[in-house]
Amino acid sequence: RIEDRIRLRETRPFRTEHRPYLAASKSIFSKIVGEPRSGGFELSFAAFLENASDVAAFTKNYLAVGFKLDYVKSDGDLSNYTPDFIVRTNDGVIWVVETKGREELDLPLKMERLKQWCEDATAAEEDGQRYDFVFVDQTGFEKHAPKDFAALAASFREYK
């Protein structure tokens, strides 16, 4: 059941801490600010998205956007998970991207929930909108730098 929709253009202005950023032209937000504990990986990934010829638009999924998924943690508690990026490729597919520099205990559970959400969201769309996801680990991204988003989606298949 679709409870609500999020329109990025309706995101109210918000402030972030003063941190390094990427000036982006393919994002509704003029600056992409990475998380402080990402070690710069989010900014380098945002730069990849900005330069990828098959990416029409992207955004960092800030808390102010409000896109989050509930999931059951490994200890059985219910929690929320906020994916890192939302990307629209030139073919119209909406991709939800999770980037990680380090492995965490609940990551498989988060990815299973994200996979389920993408399947449910695609099935609920009457206009044929497709949603998909990709998990990008920092080591793999830096070692095998993809040339475009299609290459990234084809090579980062973990959790599919």
Side-chain angles (χ1 to χ4, degrees):
R1 174 174 76 119
I2 297 174
E3 293 180 13
D4 200 3
R5 295 190 183 269
I6 295 173
R7 304 246 187 267
L8 287 172
R9 66 180 167 267
E10 295 173 1
T11 303
R12 295 180 48 87
F14 60 94
R15 295 177 59 174
T16 63
E17 295 175 24
H18 182 67
R19 294 192 298 254
Y21 64 89
L22 170 78
S25 63
K26 290 185 181 179
S27 177
I28 196 158
F29 303 118
S30 59
K31 295 179 181 177
I32 302 298
V33 180
E35 295 295 323
R37 62 187 178 281
S38 74
F41 180 44
E42 286 186 347
L43 287 182
S44 64
F45 187 75
F48 161 75
L49 295 173
E50 180 72 20
N51 294 316
S53 61
D54 55 351
V55 170
F58 77 96
T59 187
K60 171 86 173 82
N61 185 26
Y62 298 104
L63 291 176
V65 170
F67 176 56
K68 60 186 174 187
L69 306 171
D70 56 348
Y71 77 103
V72 179
K73 295 172 35 173
S74 58
D75 64 6
D77 285 345
L78 190 62
S79 187
N80 286 316
Y81 155 57
T82 304
D84 294 318
F85 290 91
I86 303 165
V87 177
R88 181 171 34 91
T89 50
N90 292 338
D91 60 2
V93 176
I94 304 295
W95 291 83
V96 182
V97 182
E98 178 63 22
T99 60
K100 279 287 183 250
R102 57 179 168 32
E103 194 72 21
E104 60 181 57
L105 181 63
D106 285 342
L107 184 62
L109 299 170
K110 291 177 181 179
M111 293 300 96
E112 186 61 35
R113 177 64 178 103
L114 181 55
K115 179 179 180 180
Q116 176 192 0
W117 184 90
C118 289
E119 290 169 358
D120 292 346
T122 298
E125 288 290 346
E126 296 174 0
D127 63 358
Q129 177 64 59
R130 194 171 134 234
Y131 295 86
D132 207 340
F133 77 99
V134 63
F135 169 77
V136 181
D137 68 282
Q138 183 175 3
T139 304
F141 182 79
E142 291 173 349
K143 186 174 182 181
H144 307 289
K147 294 187 181 350
D148 56 22
F149 197 86
L152 176 114
S155 59
F156 287 84
R157 305 287 304 160
E158 191 173 5
Y159 300 110
K160 287 296 205 174

